[in-house]
């Protein structure tokens, strides 16, 4: 049997501890399937004294990630600290620069520095693997980077944040407000004390930027993503969507258009009978549409110690099975020099159906005015409904729900702006895109 693959791990939180435990408990099986033993020989974390329920007595402890990455006698550096900057960035860069393979779960790091790090990996003959960075235990990176080679991909989209999916699911199933569901998510550990990164869509955007590069062969463009979070989704929107045969999900969508690549993260209405509408709780789902294979949908745990550790372990096993001198797989599916410049498509040219919720004063002529503004912008309406009054007082504000046929976003925005100028709106209008996935 070949010599052991020596692993150094930076970060011993939930995922790191789970990884150490799995490598220990399944070492014999892994040695057989990988053709060589896998040994954790070096670790680092913030607190050396913390009891993590794992045996580290035979493992070298380093005071910081940079020294472990730069000097430890290891074959693979596993980065599980998180964050786009240091210490993760410097440590990963140091490991790759001396030809040490890297496995990371750090989507923020890759979104910010992925192309640079991939170039360093290629220069020094090292692998940069990151299956766990997107959608937890779902093997979407391997699918895009290797399994779908030869396919021309037209669209990648999915539910990539368990926190948002949990909140939206709970709002629908229990009829609770956004604020109440967020508090419950925090209590259960699904949301951070400061949840902004998740609920504003940034986490999904980082993951989407990585998938976009893999799918379309372009440089990462995390700053060129149209972004909306779920903080403005009300229980009224949830109920209205259900009445119309839809469910609201936070989707990340990347697709080819005639003008470039469109990347967007926003709340979306999907048909109740679509597969992706059935993805509830903290589960993630990623769909890929391509010319040869057709439509592929992968669903699974999007976070958690075991799910993420499983993806990290898969990356380590791939390295263990490789042999010295073998051709390495480029981090983004093709050499960095072959990645195309990213050309952003204008989000205003997006064509699809829209849900529009308007709260208006109860007076004559409002319906006619709304219909006129829509017609002026050549928007065809699938339906227009006035919700039942919630107050007995005559003149109480009323809710009007519009669903459009496929139309240009620019037209919708212009129509809504003109309606706002009429002076009969109460509060801000709500506009939610409608997607009808091919994976039905």
């Amino acid at each position: 049997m070949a010599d052991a693959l020596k692993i150094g791990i930076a970060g011993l939180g939930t995922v790191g501890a789970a990884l150490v435990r799995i490598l220990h408990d399944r070492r014999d099986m892994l040695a057989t399937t990988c053709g060589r033993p896998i040994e954790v020989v070096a670790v680092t974390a913030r607190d050396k004294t913390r009891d993590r329920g794992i045996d580290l007595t035979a493992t070298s402890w380093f005071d910081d990630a940079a020294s472990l990455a730069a000097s430890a006698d290891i074959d693979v550096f596993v980065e599980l600290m998180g964050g786009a900057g240091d210490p993760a960035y410097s440590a990963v860069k140091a490991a790759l620069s001396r030809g040490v393979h890297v496995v990371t779960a750090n989507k923020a790091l890759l979104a910010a520095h992925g192309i640079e790090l991939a170039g360093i990996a290629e220069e020094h003959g090292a692998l940069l693997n990151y299956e766990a960075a997107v959608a937890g235990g779902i093997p979407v990176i391997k699918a895009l980077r290797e399994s779908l080679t030869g396919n021309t991909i037209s669209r990648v989209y999915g539910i990539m944040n368990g926190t948002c999916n949990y909140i939206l699911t709970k709002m629908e199933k229990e009829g609770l407000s956004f604020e109440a569901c967020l508090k419950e998510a925090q209590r259960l550990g699904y949301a951070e004390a400061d949840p902004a990164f998740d609920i504003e869509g940034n986490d999904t955007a980082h993951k989407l930027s990585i998938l976009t590069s893999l799918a379309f062969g372009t440089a990462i463009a995390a700053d060129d993503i149209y972004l909306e979070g779920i903080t403005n989704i009300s229980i009224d929107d949830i109920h209205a969507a259900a009445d119309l045969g839809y469910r609201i999900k936070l989707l990340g969508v990347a697709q080819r258009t005639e003008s470039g690549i469109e990347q967007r993260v926003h709340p979306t209405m999907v048909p109740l009978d679509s597969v992706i509408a059935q993805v509830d709780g903290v589960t993630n789902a990623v769909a890929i549409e391509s010319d040869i294979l057709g439509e592929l949908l992968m669903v699974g745990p999007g976070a958690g110690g075991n799910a993420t550790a499983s993806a990290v372990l898969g990356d380590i096993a791939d390295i263990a099975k490789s042999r010295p001198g073998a051709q390495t797989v480029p981090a983004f599916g093709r050499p960095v020099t072959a990645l195309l410049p990213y050309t952003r498509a204008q989000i205003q040219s997006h064509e699809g159906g829209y849900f529009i919720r308007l709260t208006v004063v109860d007076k004559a002529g409002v319906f006619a005015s709304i219909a006129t503004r829509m017609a002026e912008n050549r928007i065809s309406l699938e339906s227009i409904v006035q919700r039942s009054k919630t107050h007995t007082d005559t003149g109480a504000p009323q809710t009007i729900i519009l669903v459009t046929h496929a139309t240009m976003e620019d037209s919708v925005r212009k129509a809504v702006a003109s309606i706002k100028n009429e002076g009969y709106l109460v509060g801000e209008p709500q506009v939610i895109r409608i997607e009808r996935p091919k994976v039905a």
Side-chain angles (χ1 to χ4, degrees), residues 73-303:
D73 182 16
I74 56 174
D75 302 303
V76 182
F77 175 68
V78 180
E79 186 275 304
L80 299 174
M81 298 175 291
D86 290 334
Y89 169 64
S90 294
V92 168
K93 190 173 180 180
L96 293 172
S97 295
R98 66 185 186 110
V100 172
H101 304 303
V102 168
V103 173
T104 180
N106 192 338
K107 68 268 183 181
L109 175 68
L110 293 166
H113 305 291
I115 302 304
E116 176 197 358
L117 295 173
I120 296 171
E122 290 173 19
E123 180 182 353
H124 295 278
L127 287 166
L128 175 59
N129 289 350
Y130 50 91
E131 187 66 67
V134 179
I138 302 173
V140 63
I141 302 301
K142 182 178 284 290
L144 286 170
R145 192 163 71 172
E146 301 175 37
S147 303
L148 294 179
T149 298
N151 280 261
T152 297
I153 295 170
S154 56
R155 182 163 72 150
V156 178
Y157 66 94
I159 298 167
M160 303 176 205
N161 184 271
T163 300
C164 291
N165 205 42
Y166 173 83
I167 291 171
L168 293 172
T169 299
K170 196 169 183 67
M171 288 176 70
E172 179 190 12
K173 293 188 180 301
E174 300 188 18
L176 300 174
S177 69
F178 171 84
E179 291 77 14
C181 294
L182 173 58
K183 288 181 181 178
E184 180 66 7
Q186 290 171 319
R187 186 184 70 81
L188 294 172
Y190 297 148
E192 301 289 341
D194 180 2
F197 193 75
D198 289 318
I199 64 176
E200 297 294 350
N202 294 283
D203 176 76
T204 299
H206 283 166
K207 296 169 182 176
L208 182 66
S209 70
I210 295 167
L211 295 185
T212 299
S213 180
L214 286 163
F216 305 119
T218 61
I220 289 177
D223 295 331
D224 281 325
I225 297 178
Y226 178 85
L227 189 62
E228 290 180 28
I230 65 170
T231 54
N232 290 329
I233 299 298
S234 71
I235 193 64
D236 291 337
D237 296 325
I238 298 289
H239 290 159
D243 291 345
L244 294 166
Y246 295 100
R247 184 164 285 143
I248 299 176
K249 299 292 184 182
L250 182 75
L251 293 188
V253 183
Q255 62 186 29
R256 293 182 188 272
T257 73
E258 292 182 358
S259 62
I261 305 299
E262 182 178 293
Q263 295 185 99
R264 46 192 169 88
V265 174
H266 50 72
T268 309
M269 288 190 177
V270 294
L272 284 170
D273 60 358
S274 64
V275 176
I276 204 160
Q278 312 309 315
V279 179
D280 287 343
V282 295
T283 304
N284 281 196
V286 179
I288 303 169
E289 297 173 2
S290 63
D291 59 344
I292 301 175
L293 179 63
E295 294 84 41
L296 172 67
L297 177 67
M298 294 178 282
V299 181

Side-chain angles (χ1 to χ4, degrees), residues 1-3 5 22-23 25-38 310 313-323:
M1 185 174 288
D3 293 339
L5 185 75
I22 293 168
L23 287 170
D25 293 346
R26 307 196 178 189
R27 55 189 172 188
D28 292 340
M29 181 187 74
L30 289 168
T32 300
T33 57
C34 296
R36 61 195 299 193
I38 301 174
S310 174
L313 179 58
D315 280 343
I316 294 172
D318 281 348
I319 295 171
K321 293 173 185 177
S322 65
R323 292 295 176 262

